[in-house]
C-alpha cells in the first residue's frame, strides 16, 4: 500500500528560484493564502527573547571578543578582529587602569548589543519572503479537510497530497534512470510551465 505524504507548500512556478526554494522547504512560518495576512510584527519581528539573548551575546563580545566573534562574522575575520579587540582591551586595562577597562567594556557591550539586536535578530529571509509572496503559495489549510467531501464529492486535500506524491515519484524515477543529467530536468518539471519554457543554460 502506498504511503501518503503530508502536503508540501504548493508554490507559484513564476517566482524566482531562490524564493521558491525558501518557500518549499516546509509549511513552518508560512501563511495560508485563504486567510488574511497577519499584521506586521512589532520591532521587525524581534521579541523579548531576542533582546535578552542579544544581551548575553554582546556581553561575551565585549569581555572576551576572541571567543565569539568568529561565530558571528566568520572564522578568519572573527579571529583577526577578536584578537585585535582582545589585545586592545588588555592594553586599556594595563595603560589606564581597572576603571578605564570597566568603562570600555561597558561601552563596547552597549554598542555590541545594539548591533546584535539590529543586525542579528528579527524576521529572517524566509519569513520575509513568506509575507511578501502571500497568496502565491498554498498550504494544506487552503485545501480544506474531509468536511468538503459532501459538497465536492471528494476531499481536495487528500487529492492534492496524492497528486504531489505521484509527481514526486515520477520525477524521482526519471532522475534515477537518467542519472545526474536528469536533475536539471527534474527541477524544471517540478517548477511548472513557466520554468520549463525558459531556454536551457549554456
Amino acid at each position: 500500500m502506498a504511503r501518503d505524504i503530508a502536503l508540501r507548500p504548493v508554490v507559484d512556478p513564476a517566482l524566482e528560484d531562490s524564493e521558491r526554494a525558501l518557500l518549499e522547504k516546509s509549511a513552518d512560518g508560512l501563511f495560508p493564502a485563504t486567510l488574511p495576512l497577519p499584521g506586521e510584527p512589532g520591532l521587525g519581528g524581534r521579541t523579548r527573547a531576542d533582546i535578552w539573548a542579544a544581551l548575553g551575546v554582546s556581553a561575551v563580545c565585549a569581555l572576551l571578543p576572541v571567543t565569539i566573534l568568529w561565530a558571528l562574522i566568520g572564522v578568519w575575520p572573527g579571529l583577526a578582529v577578536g584578537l585585535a579587540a582582545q589585545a586592545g582591551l588588555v592594553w586599556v586595562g594595563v595603560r589606564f587602569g581597572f576603571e578605564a577597562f570597566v568603562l570600555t567594556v561597558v561601552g563596547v557591550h552597549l554598542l555590541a548589543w545594539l548591533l546584535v539586536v539590529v543586525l542579528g535578530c528579527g524576521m529572517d529571509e524566509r519569513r520575509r519572503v513568506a509575507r511578501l509572496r502571500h497568496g502565491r503559495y498554498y498550504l494544506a489549510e487552503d485545501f480544506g479537510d474531509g468536511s468538503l467531501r459532501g459538497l465536492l464529492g471528494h476531499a481536495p486535500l487528500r487529492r492534492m497530497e496524492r497528486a504531489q506524491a505521484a509527481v514526486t515519484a515520477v520525477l524521482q524515477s526519471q532522475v534515477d534512470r537518467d542519472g545526474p543529467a536528469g536533475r536539471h530536468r527534474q527541477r524544471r518539471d517540478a517548477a511548472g510551465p513557466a520554468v520549463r519554457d525558459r531556454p536551457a543554460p549554456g
Side-chain angles (χ1 to χ4, degrees):
M1 179 178 176
R3 181 175 64 88
D4 291 331
I5 62 174
L7 184 71
R8 301 186 305 278
V10 179
V11 183
D12 183 351
L15 293 179
E16 293 293 331
D17 291 346
S18 58
E19 293 183 340
R20 284 177 53 83
L22 286 174
L23 296 173
E24 288 175 344
K25 284 183 178 180
S26 74
D28 294 339
L30 306 188
F31 308 96
T34 50
L35 297 178
L37 183 65
E40 187 81 20
L43 299 176
R46 297 172 182 84
T47 65
R48 290 184 179 180
D50 290 333
I51 294 173
W52 283 110
L55 276 174
V57 172
S58 59
V60 178
C61 286
L63 190 59
L64 296 169
V66 71
T67 66
I68 196 171
L69 286 180
W70 64 269
L72 299 177
I73 62 176
V75 176
W76 297 115
L79 286 175
V81 175
L83 286 170
Q86 196 73 68
L89 287 175
V90 173
W91 179 81
V92 168
V94 172
R95 179 69 175 80
F96 299 103
F98 180 73
E99 182 177 348
F101 172 80
V102 171
L103 291 175
T104 301
V105 169
V106 171
V108 173
H109 182 196
L110 293 176
L111 178 61
W113 172 74
L114 182 62
L115 291 175
V116 171
V117 169
V118 172
L119 302 178
C121 300
M123 192 181 303
D124 60 18
E125 179 65 10
R126 184 168 185 271
R127 188 170 290 270
R128 186 192 68 79
V129 172
R131 299 186 67 86
L132 180 65
R133 302 307 184 191
H134 180 248
R136 299 187 66 180
Y137 58 84
Y138 298 90
L139 310 179
E141 294 91 326
D142 296 313
F143 297 99
D145 52 29
S147 62
L148 295 176
R149 182 185 296 275
L151 178 63
L152 302 177
H154 61 85
L157 176 58
R158 299 298 294 167
R159 285 200 173 185
M160 286 298 300
E161 288 174 340
R162 290 169 182 166
Q164 196 174 71
V167 170
T168 300
V170 169
L171 294 176
Q172 186 59 52
S173 68
Q174 290 176 347
V175 172
D176 292 342
R177 184 181 66 249
D178 299 340
R183 292 175 184 168
H184 178 66
R185 182 167 63 251
Q186 181 196 30
R187 289 195 295 268
R188 295 179 66 191
D189 290 345
V195 174
R196 287 200 303 269
D197 294 340
R198 296 177 185 173

